[in-house]
Amino acid sequence: MSQTMTSEQKQKTEAKSYKNYIGGRWVESKSGKTFSSTNPAHKDQVLGVMQASNADDVNQAIEAAQKAFPGWRHTPAPARGEICLKAALMLESRKEDLARIMTQEMGKVLKETRGDVQEAIDMGKYAAGFGRQPHGETVPSELRNKLCITERVPLGVIACITPWNFPMAIPSWKIFPAVMAGNAVVFKPASDTPIIATKLVEIFEEAGLPGGVLNLVTGSGADVGDVLVKDPRVAGISFTGSTAAGKHIAEIAGRNLKRLGLELGGKNCIVVLDDADIPLAVDGALWAAFGTSGQRCTAASRLIVDQKVQKDFVDLLQERAAKLKVGDGLQADTDMGPVINEGALKKVHEYTEIGKREHARLVHGGDFAGSDGWFYRPTIFADGRKDMRMAQEEIFGPSTLVMPVSNLDEALDVANSTQYGLSMSIYTNDLRKAFHAIEEMQSGIVYVNAPTIGAEIQLPFGGVKNTGNGHREAGTVALDEFTEWKTIYIDYSGRLQRAQIDTGE
Ligand code: NAD
């Protein structure tokens, strides 16, 4: 071994190598190129060596999915459900190991990565039940001796493209319903979390999912994601990520009239009225702003507070934020882990500089928190205004802006003033104000007296405005993104019956 080898090269040589999963086989990328998955809490630690795939690998994966689709489509839905249930139970039995791998790969603390795996378990169990649920309706006909029914049919090959912040939960929201509906999937996980994605695919394999029904191709958005999106053999795309990437994908999908589900960025807020339980609101704000180091699509990066209680609220929030321990998420006493990578760290700090330039008042944090990993201190700005960049742009890090308002109407105007609409919350003890807010908030999800995070898989998840394109994941509508409706008329009258014409007979 060369003496000039850098420590990263050495670690890469020693790290476990992971492969793509195509057509039921674990294979290397055709180019032989690889990339590293590293630990954001110990930035020089290489966790695994992954396949840096390109168009050739994508092509092979789509071919495998196409080949597997007819057999899987005709597999009875209850049998598909058995496999999904088995996968969910395997996730459950490996929850702790998976949570630890996830904490190492993307940084959030163990209690949160356990929650992430739990969401996948919940989704697997829930989706398995679709196998024995009605798949259509019987609707009365306007004519005699005619049966009208509808049924869901799968689309074909689905591309699932996912981000790193919920690296098991988000893929599971997509893959479980997609395969339950009878589709075949090509899964492209985020390049920051390919190991945990591989673990999920391994479980599907062990649970007995036939080869080709789920294919894993790791690599960059440009070399894998973009190629998948453009391929005419891909019938549907389920994408979660940034609004910029989502718009780019929507243009391509639109040109080809492809089914497309988009779950994109957010600029979520908590409204705190003067009658609210302030310590409860601070509990919620702390969790929503700094949980997952602020890197949740539903993170509260705006705290819209009645000016009469702003001082009490900010003082208590600052006091609580000061006690948060930043560090490696594997340590039991860590409250907040690192951000995902160097680019994210720089971006968060850039917004601190922007906030200062815009004359927001820095109340807490605003700088780096250690050099071993990508750590940033929980950061609170006050005296925010809706025209500030900090109030409009998604920062996706542990940084939040307190914005004073004088009444509920102004609070709602500020809440609705961004391009996004994923999750909003209001803290108040006045029922009428709560209902007014529920009605007026331009948001896919609204919470009352609870923070902006905490979605449960049995309810639809998604946002309005530039957060998405109208689709919802999970809940009773989970199959909508992955199925077409087929409408079937069966005439057993033995004669020609004309709809709208022979109706009186
Ligand atoms: P990102 O858009 O950079 O990447 C998401 C995925 O898309 C990755 O797998 C990436 O490789 C791939 N990708 C990037 N460019 C692509 C392209 N041109 N074609 C095809 N694929 C491409 O987002 P990210 O940084 O991984 O995640 C953070 C973003 O995701 C934030 O904006 C956050 O709000 C959003 N998010 C939204 C939700 C939601 O449900 N609304 C949930 C989680 C995260």
Side-chain angles (χ1 to χ4, degrees), residues 161-166 170 173 188-192 219-222 224-229 239-246 248-249 252 262-266 268 295-298 340 347 394 396 420 422 461-463 467-468 473:
I161 304 176
T162 56
W164 46 266
N165 63 337
F166 280 87
I170 291 177
W173 291 359
K188 202 297 269 181
S191 299
D192 285 304
S220 72
V224 178
D226 214 41
V227 180
L228 259 177
V229 167
F239 174 84
T240 300
S242 59
T243 294
H248 169 76
I249 291 170
I252 299 166
L262 295 174
E263 298 290 345
L264 309 175
N268 314 288
Q295 303 169 111
R296 291 179 183 236
C297 49
T298 52
I340 188 69
K347 183 176 171 193
E394 189 180 40
F396 223 57
Y420 301 109
L422 182 54
F461 182 94
T467 292
E473 293 193 310

Side-chain angles (χ1 to χ4, degrees), residues 52-98:
S53 313
N54 63 21
D56 292 336
D57 308 294
V58 174
N59 184 43
Q60 201 188 7
I62 295 172
E63 259 173 38
Q66 272 196 312
K67 207 166 150 210
F69 173 59
W72 184 242
R73 178 166 82 90
H74 290 117
T75 302
R80 298 199 290 256
E82 291 299 326
I83 293 172
C84 286
L85 181 61
K86 203 166 166 198
L89 296 175
M90 290 170 72
L91 284 166
E92 197 163 39
S93 69
R94 295 178 197 175
K95 180 173 167 180
E96 191 58 26
D97 286 350
L98 294 169

Side-chain angles (χ1 to χ4, degrees), residues 125-431:
K125 289 179 177 173
Y126 183 74
F130 288 144
R132 292 183 190 271
Q133 293 276 325
H135 262 222
E137 295 177 311
T138 308
V139 182
S141 170
E142 60 189 42
L143 296 163
R144 291 166 196 267
N145 299 320
K146 192 173 172 192
L147 177 66
C148 307
I149 56 175
T150 61
E151 68 171 8
R152 285 186 187 277
V153 291
L155 302 179
V157 178
I158 306 281
C160 294
I161 304 176
T162 56
W164 46 266
N165 63 337
F166 280 87
M168 190 156 267
I170 291 177
S172 79
W173 291 359
K174 299 180 187 305
I175 295 169
F176 277 115
V179 299
M180 274 312 300
N183 298 288
V185 169
V186 180
F187 172 29
K188 202 297 269 181
S191 299
D192 285 304
T193 50
I195 297 179
I196 198 71
T198 306
K199 295 286 160 193
L200 179 63
V201 173
E202 282 172 7
I203 283 176
F204 273 104
E205 180 190 32
E206 280 183 60
L209 195 69
V213 175
L214 172 61
N215 304 276
L216 171 75
V217 186
T218 57
S220 72
D223 292 338
V224 178
D226 214 41
V227 180
L228 259 177
V229 167
K230 286 179 178 149
D231 195 295
R233 296 167 296 175
V234 171
I237 303 156
S238 183
F239 174 84
T240 300
S242 59
T243 294
K247 283 185 175 176
H248 169 76
I249 291 170
E251 280 178 25
I252 299 166
R255 279 200 291 277
N256 298 299
L257 300 179
K258 278 187 198 205
R259 178 70 63 88
L260 172 65
L262 295 174
E263 298 290 345
L264 309 175
K267 190 72 192 172
N268 314 288
C269 64
I270 294 179
V271 171
V272 182
L273 297 186
D274 59 348
D275 65 88
D277 177 336
I278 299 299
L280 182 71
V282 168
D283 273 347
L286 201 76
W287 175 229
F290 303 126
T292 314
S293 308
Q295 303 169 111
R296 291 179 183 236
C297 49
T298 52
S301 56
R302 297 180 299 152
L303 306 171
I304 302 167
V305 182
D306 191 300
Q307 60 197 11
K308 294 190 270 314
V309 292
Q310 186 190 213
K311 181 166 183 336
D312 290 352
F313 178 87
V314 170
D315 287 352
L316 191 54
L317 186 68
Q318 193 276 330
E319 189 186 315
R320 297 283 304 280
K323 290 186 184 141
L324 293 178
K325 184 162 184 285
V326 181
D328 183 341
L330 284 183
Q331 303 298 326
D333 60 344
T334 299
D335 298 301
M336 196 179 92
V339 297
I340 188 69
N341 54 35
E342 188 176 12
L345 191 73
K346 283 186 176 156
K347 183 176 171 193
V348 178
H349 193 60
E350 196 182 312
Y351 275 97
T352 294
E353 298 301 327
I354 290 169
K356 286 179 185 167
R357 281 203 298 278
E358 289 182 320
H359 302 296
R361 178 165 54 93
L362 182 63
V363 174
H364 189 79
D367 52 24
F368 305 99
S371 55
D372 197 21
W374 311 119
F375 297 109
Y376 205 76
R377 291 177 65 203
T379 297
I380 304 167
F381 276 92
D383 300 343
R385 294 186 322 271
K386 70 177 181 183
D387 60 350
M388 290 175 169
R389 282 184 64 191
M390 280 204 85
Q392 292 295 327
E393 297 169 17
E394 189 180 40
I395 301 172
F396 223 57
S399 182
T400 193
L401 178 67
V402 179
M403 310 172 74
V405 289
S406 49
N407 55 42
L408 176 59
D409 284 340
E410 190 187 350
L412 292 172
D413 174 59
V414 172
N416 292 335
S417 67
T418 78
Q419 60 166 315
Y420 301 109
L422 182 54
S423 183
M424 292 188 188
S425 134
I426 182 163
Y427 281 79
T428 177
N429 283 314
D430 185 328
L431 204 60

